[in-house]
Amino acid sequence: MANVALIIAGGSGARMHQSIPKQFLSVNERPVIIYTLEAFQKHADIDAIAVVCISGWEQVLWAYARQFNITKLKYVIPGGENGQGSIRNGVFELEKHFGEEDIVLIHDSIRPMVSADIISDCIVKTKQYGCAIATIPCAEAMLQTEDGMCSTGSYPRDNLKRTQTPQGFPLGKICDLHRRALEQGITNSVASCTLMIEMGQQVHFSLGSEKNIKLTTVEDLDIFKALLLAKRADWLKD
Ligand SMILES: C[C@](O)(CO)[C@H](O)COP(=O)(O)O
C-alpha cells in the first residue's frame, strides 16, 4: 500500500503582502516549499509526492525539486478556484496513478516545520480510523464575535481543537467525498476536515505541534526563522 503526500501550493498568499507567492519566498536561501517537500522526501514511509501548484510556477517548482534533490516529486497538478478546488484537482489526479486503499496525506505547502513524528502518526491513525487530522489543543480563551470589535460570547476551549495539516485519508474515500460534495453544491469548505464534517462524516485526530506553524503573515516568517535556528542548535548539540 502506498503513502502519497499531496502538497497544496495553489494559493497566492495575499495575506503575506509579498510580490511572489509565499510558498516560493526564500528563507535562508531556500524556498519555503522546499523545507516542506524535504520533510516528506526524508520520511521513509512516503512513497511519492504530488504538488498542486499555482499557475505559472510549475517549471520553477520542477527546477527547485531538481536543485534540492526532491526525487519523490512525481506529479505537479494545476490549482483550482479555491482550496477545496485545488485539493479536488490533486486527489482526482492521484486517482489515475494509485489505488483506492492507498493513503493520501494532504498538507499545506506553507507548513514547512512538519516533523517526521507528525507524518508517521497521521499515516498510522489514517490506517486505524479511516482519516486523521493533525490537531493541537486550544491554549487561549476563545471569544465569539459578529463584528471583529467586541464579544459577548465565549467557547469552552477544552471542547475545541486547532486543526493543522497533514490530513490523511484513503484515496478512494477522499475522492468519493469530493464527488459527492460537488453533486451537493458544497464547493468552498476551508479544509478537508471541515468538508468531511459538512458532509456528515466524523474525523479523528492525529499528532500536531505548535511548531508545525502555518506561514500566513509576515510575522510568521520571523517565527519560522527562530524555529529553524532552534532546530539547528538541536542538531549541533546531538
Ligand atoms: C488546512 C488548514 O491548514 C487547517 O488549519 C487551514 O484551514 C488552511 O487555511 P488556508 O486559508 O487555506 O491557509
Side-chain angles (χ1 to χ4, degrees):
M1 203 195 284
N3 300 315
V4 186
L6 178 63
I7 309 299
I8 307 304
S12 63
R15 287 169 287 181
M16 192 67 88
H17 304 294
Q18 301 290 312
S19 54
I20 66 172
K22 59 185 173 179
Q23 57 273 35
F24 287 100
L25 284 178
S26 191
V27 174
N28 299 349
E29 287 160 29
R30 249 161 220 258
V32 164
I33 192 168
I34 288 298
Y35 291 94
T36 308
L37 294 177
E38 277 175 340
F40 290 93
Q41 171 74 29
K42 285 183 189 152
H43 198 290
D45 296 337
I46 295 294
D47 301 290
I49 302 174
V51 176
V52 176
C53 188
I54 185 169
S55 172
W57 288 82
E58 299 87 345
Q59 292 313 316
V60 176
L61 176 64
W62 281 117
Y64 280 143
R66 278 190 295 276
Q67 181 183 348
F68 292 99
N69 215 21
I70 310 295
T71 54
K72 291 182 184 174
L73 178 65
K74 302 294 179 206
Y75 314 101
V76 175
I77 302 156
E81 69 285 7
N82 54 27
Q84 183 180 330
S86 287
I87 294 172
R88 182 174 62 242
N89 286 0
V91 294
F92 283 2
E93 178 62 31
L94 290 181
E95 211 178 19
K96 299 175 193 162
H97 309 282
F98 296 93
E100 57 180 31
E101 298 300 319
D102 290 329
I103 302 293
V104 56
L105 299 194
I106 301 168
H107 186 72
D108 298 328
S109 61
I110 41 70
R111 284 191 190 271
M113 292 299 292
V114 61
S115 68
D117 285 348
I118 290 175
I119 295 170
S120 298
D121 196 55
C122 192
I123 294 171
V124 168
K125 297 275 170 54
T126 302
K127 288 181 179 164
Q128 201 173 349
Y129 297 114
C131 128
I133 311 300
T135 58
I136 53 175
C138 205
E140 296 90 357
M142 304 301 288
L143 299 185
Q144 187 181 358
T145 181
E146 304 303 325
D147 60 2
M149 307 283 283
C150 62
S151 173
T152 53
S154 68
Y155 292 101
R157 67 181 175 188
D158 290 348
N159 294 346
L160 295 175
K161 286 281 193 186
R162 288 167 58 200
T163 64
Q164 302 186 332
T165 61
Q167 305 194 355
F169 306 88
L171 184 57
K173 179 175 182 170
I174 190 73
C175 286
D176 179 55
L177 186 83
H178 277 275
R179 264 190 277 278
R180 287 189 296 110
L182 267 185
E183 280 164 18
Q184 293 181 27
I186 299 176
T187 56
N188 198 11
S189 200
V190 294
S192 302
C193 58
T194 54
L195 183 61
M196 282 282 283
I197 287 167
E198 283 172 57
M199 296 291 292
Q201 306 274 307
Q202 193 176 58
V203 296
H204 283 265
F205 303 142
S206 61
L207 183 70
S209 166
E210 290 284 356
K211 291 183 182 173
N212 183 20
I213 182 177
K214 176 156 92 72
L215 306 184
T216 306
T217 65
V218 177
E219 276 185 341
D220 298 328
L221 289 176
D222 290 338
I223 300 172
F224 177 40
K225 286 176 195 164
L227 289 169
L228 284 174
L229 270 180
K231 194 170 170 184
R232 191 149 177 268
D234 276 352
W235 281 336
L236 293 176
K237 246 189 332 200
D238 294 342

